[in-house]
Amino acid sequence: TTDLMDNFTIYFGHVLSNSFYPVLQRAIGVGSAFEGWSPREQDVVYRVLVPMTPPRGHSFHLELDTAGQRRVRNFRVRVQLECTCAREQQGENTLCFLHHPEEELRSNQDPSLLHTLCTGAYLDVQKTARWFCQLVRATWPALPQSHSWHLVLLPSRRSCQFKVTNGRDSFRIELLFGVRQGDSDIFVSSQPREALTPSTTWPESYAVAEAKFFKYIARQAPHDSLHLKCLQFFTRLQLGIGFSTYTMKTIVMHLLNVVPVSRWCRRDFLQRLVDINESLRLCVEVRRLNHFIVGNQWLPEEISLPPDIQMAEPPNLFHHLVQDPAPHSQAMSEYQVL
């Protein structure tokens, strides 16, 4: 998947070099498949996030959506035209969208990003997803993988999903896309958190920071570390019970942050399973499970957070257990089953 995405990135660069579409950076592997664990090995989806930067003559501005009381932050990506007159004077073959007549622009230059992938002044996720799929379909024949693999695009509204097969092996890949917040590891991403996410809404994503945390642990851990086996064990165990995979992942990440990696070896396997079990029980009882990234000031230094994320109050992933006694009773019952 990494090799395939690197090849895609090279050809994307060739195709888009003189366009006014977003500039696509190297894809970043995120999620369980790239972190080293998967609850369903027979149905793995390889998710990658493709960072986007604005094309020449444009800039991106992230605007926080303050409507309603949300536990996760949503943003809109406002696209703004920038003056390129100075570049034009230096011999660049680009007309300034701000200062050239519309008729001259229409006859001599491709339309701006505002007229292709935006709704109003805001970058549209669904339009961007359709463009991504067209780009993948158009560049696939040029890739070396196309000689021995078959590409099938899959339906998706907020990402580009496809499957590659060679008759023996099959891989399902999902391309998400996002805009980085400053120079941090936090993005606004196309991946929705709610079923009916508006097309100009970009939820805040912590997937890159989480993937970097697992890479950091992997570098520190001894060769016989079983921390990923512990996580895989619990995520498989709870399938169909009610606790989400992300709940178990969050609990294990918290434990990895406080229990030395030297104590996740084979001889410690049972004790670490007990620790995970006890952590889940305690979180259900007190009806609180803090988000691992937001508000965590004890992350490895190589994980970069914006100041407002680092200093924020951690969202409670078990907020739904606080408001109503019925879900809490259900969660306690599910814990007993688990």
Side-chain angles (χ1 to χ4, degrees), residues 164-277:
V164 290
T165 58
N166 66 356
R168 184 181 67 256
D169 296 314
S170 175
F171 296 93
R172 184 176 166 188
I173 300 167
E174 181 176 21
L175 300 187
L176 303 166
F177 33 92
V179 177
R180 189 187 298 269
Q181 294 190 33
D183 58 357
S184 74
D185 293 316
I186 305 301
F187 287 75
V188 298
S189 161
S190 62
Q191 188 167 24
R193 295 188 182 276
E194 299 169 356
L196 300 175
T197 304
S199 65
T200 55
T201 295
W202 298 72
E204 195 164 57
S205 171
Y206 318 101
V208 172
E210 291 169 356
K212 285 186 74 171
F213 176 75
F214 277 99
K215 286 183 179 178
Y216 168 83
I217 293 296
R219 289 195 300 271
Q220 309 296 319
H223 71 280
D224 63 340
S225 176
L226 294 177
H227 62 282
L228 295 176
K229 290 295 184 185
C230 290
L231 175 54
Q232 196 170 49
F233 177 84
F234 265 94
T235 54
R236 288 188 183 185
L237 192 65
Q238 58 77 42
L239 288 174
I241 291 181
F243 295 109
S244 71
T245 298
Y246 194 70
T247 290
M248 305 312 304
K249 175 183 171 180
T250 300
I251 286 174
V252 171
M253 287 191 294
H254 278 298
L255 285 171
L256 283 168
N257 215 27
V258 295
V259 177
V261 288
S262 60
R263 290 169 55 190
W264 290 81
C265 298
R266 184 171 298 275
R267 66 178 179 274
D268 306 303
F269 184 61
L270 182 58
Q271 185 56 53
R272 295 291 81 82
L273 293 182
V274 170
D275 289 345
I276 297 169
N277 185 52

Side-chain angles (χ1 to χ4, degrees), residues 140-178:
W140 172 252
L143 269 58
Q145 285 89 347
S146 67
H147 300 301
S148 52
W149 293 81
H150 177 61
L151 173 80
V152 177
L153 286 165
L154 304 173
S156 178
R157 298 181 67 188
R158 293 181 63 96
S159 65
C160 175
Q161 296 189 41
F162 58 89
K163 185 168 62 173
V164 290
T165 58
N166 66 356
R168 184 181 67 256
D169 296 314
S170 175
F171 296 93
R172 184 176 166 188
I173 300 167
E174 181 176 21
L175 300 187
L176 303 166
F177 33 92

Side-chain angles (χ1 to χ4, degrees), residues 7-26:
N7 286 338
F8 264 129
T9 302
I10 292 169
Y11 281 90
F12 289 165
H14 292 325
V15 171
L16 303 173
S17 59
N18 293 313
S19 77
F20 297 104
Y21 286 102
V23 180
L24 306 180
Q25 308 298 320
R26 188 181 186 190

Side-chain angles (χ1 to χ4, degrees), residues 100-109:
H100 275 274
E102 284 191 20
E103 288 186 7
E104 186 178 357
L105 288 169
R106 274 199 301 268
S107 58
N108 294 288
Q109 190 161 274

